[in-house]
Amino acid sequence: MKLSARLTLLVWAFLLVSVSLQAAIWPRKSKKDQLVTITTPQGDIRLILFDQTPLHKANFLKLAQSGFYNGTTFHRVIPNFMIQGGDANSKDTDPSNDGAGSPDEKRIPAEIRPEFTHKYGAVAAARTGDMVNPQRASSASQFYIVENHNGTPHLNGAYTVFGQVISGLEVVDKIAQQPVAERNRPVTDIKMTVKVEKVKKKKITELYGYQYR
C-alpha cells in the first residue's frame, strides 16, 4: 500500500476515534424533559428540574415515580416566604412529627450553583442548619417552593435550588394563604400527589413559556 493511502487511512481512523470520544464526553442533549405535576386541593403546580443539579433531580424523580410523595402534605407554609412539604411523617395522623424527617435518612450532597437563585417559584431542598450540617447537605425528600414574589435572596448560596415552577404560581400563593396553627402547619391538611411525564422541551416552552438554558 502506498504511503499516501496509509496516511489517508490513519487520518480517517483518527477522525472516527475523535468523534467517538466527543460523543462519550459530550452526549447529545435530550429533546425531552420530565415535567412534574404536583396536584393539591388548591390546584396543580407544574415544575421542571435542573440538569445542572443531577443528584437532586434524580432523587426527586425517583421518589415521585415510586409514589413516595403521594399522600404527603405541605406541612409548613409562611405567607410572603415559602411553602414546604415532602416529609413522609406527614402521611401519619400525628401532626407533631411533621417536618422532623427520619433520623436515619440519607442526605443529598449540596449542589449549590450561583446561577440558580431563590426567585419566585424556585424549588429548593430543605435541610438542617449549619451548626449540625456545615456541608449544607439536603434532606432526602423535603423541599420548598419560594412564594415571595420578590424572591428570598437571603437564602442564595445556602440551600440547593434544583427546579422552577413553570405553571401554577397562583396555586402556590393560595397554599401560602391557608390558615395555620403551631409551627406554621396548615389547619387543614394540604395533601399532594405527584406525577412525572416525559414531554418534548419544545412543547414545554410552547405551553408554559419556559426557556431552557
Side-chain angles (χ1 to χ4, degrees):
M1 185 181 292
K2 293 182 179 180
L3 180 60
S4 59
R6 290 179 179 177
L7 288 174
T8 300
L9 287 173
L10 286 172
V11 169
W12 275 108
F14 175 78
L15 289 173
L16 286 172
V17 171
S18 297
V19 170
S20 299
L21 286 173
Q22 288 180 22
I25 298 171
W26 295 292
R28 294 177 65 182
K29 288 186 177 180
S30 174
K31 293 183 178 180
K32 292 186 177 182
D33 197 4
Q34 289 89 354
L35 178 65
V36 178
T37 301
I38 301 175
T39 298
T40 74
Q42 288 71 33
D44 291 345
I45 302 168
R46 291 184 174 85
L47 52 95
I48 56 92
L49 308 176
F50 302 139
D51 290 334
Q52 296 89 337
T53 53
L55 299 178
H56 286 72
K57 180 171 184 174
N59 179 73
F60 190 97
L61 291 175
K62 179 181 178 181
L63 294 176
Q65 291 167 332
S66 72
F68 171 89
Y69 284 120
N70 296 339
T72 62
T73 73
F74 282 102
H75 62 268
R76 183 174 177 234
V77 303
I78 304 176
N80 298 315
F81 184 31
M82 60 90 215
I83 63 174
Q84 181 175 334
D87 182 15
N89 292 338
S90 64
K91 293 183 180 183
D92 64 29
T93 58
D94 180 8
S96 67
N97 65 9
D98 291 1
S102 173
D104 59 347
E105 71 178 8
K106 294 181 180 179
R107 295 174 178 172
I108 306 169
E111 294 180 299
I112 298 171
R113 298 178 65 98
E115 68 267 36
F116 299 135
T117 60
H118 283 76
K119 64 181 182 179
Y120 181 34
V123 181
R127 66 174 178 84
T128 52
D130 288 359
M131 291 294 290
V132 296
N133 179 25
Q135 295 82 16
R136 296 178 169 174
S138 302
S139 163
S141 66
Q142 293 188 55
F143 64 95
Y144 61 92
I145 300 174
V146 175
E147 191 270 333
N148 190 307
H149 290 210
N150 296 316
T152 55
H154 63 284
L155 298 180
N156 291 341
Y159 296 79
T160 297
V161 175
F162 65 97
Q164 178 66 38
V165 172
I166 59 174
S167 175
L169 285 170
E170 72 283 357
V171 177
V172 176
D173 290 342
K174 288 179 183 178
I175 292 173
Q177 297 300 324
Q178 297 303 301
V180 298
E182 295 181 3
R183 298 181 294 113
N184 303 111
R185 186 186 185 279
V187 174
T188 303
D189 285 351
I190 304 174
K191 292 188 177 183
M192 70 178 83
T193 58
V194 182
K195 73 174 183 178
V196 180
E197 54 186 328
K198 273 198 170 184
V199 181
K200 288 184 178 179
K201 292 179 178 179
K202 183 178 179 180
K203 186 175 181 179
I204 290 175
T205 298
E206 290 174 352
L207 291 175
Y208 308 109
Y210 179 76
Q211 298 294 331
Y212 284 88
R213 294 172 181 267

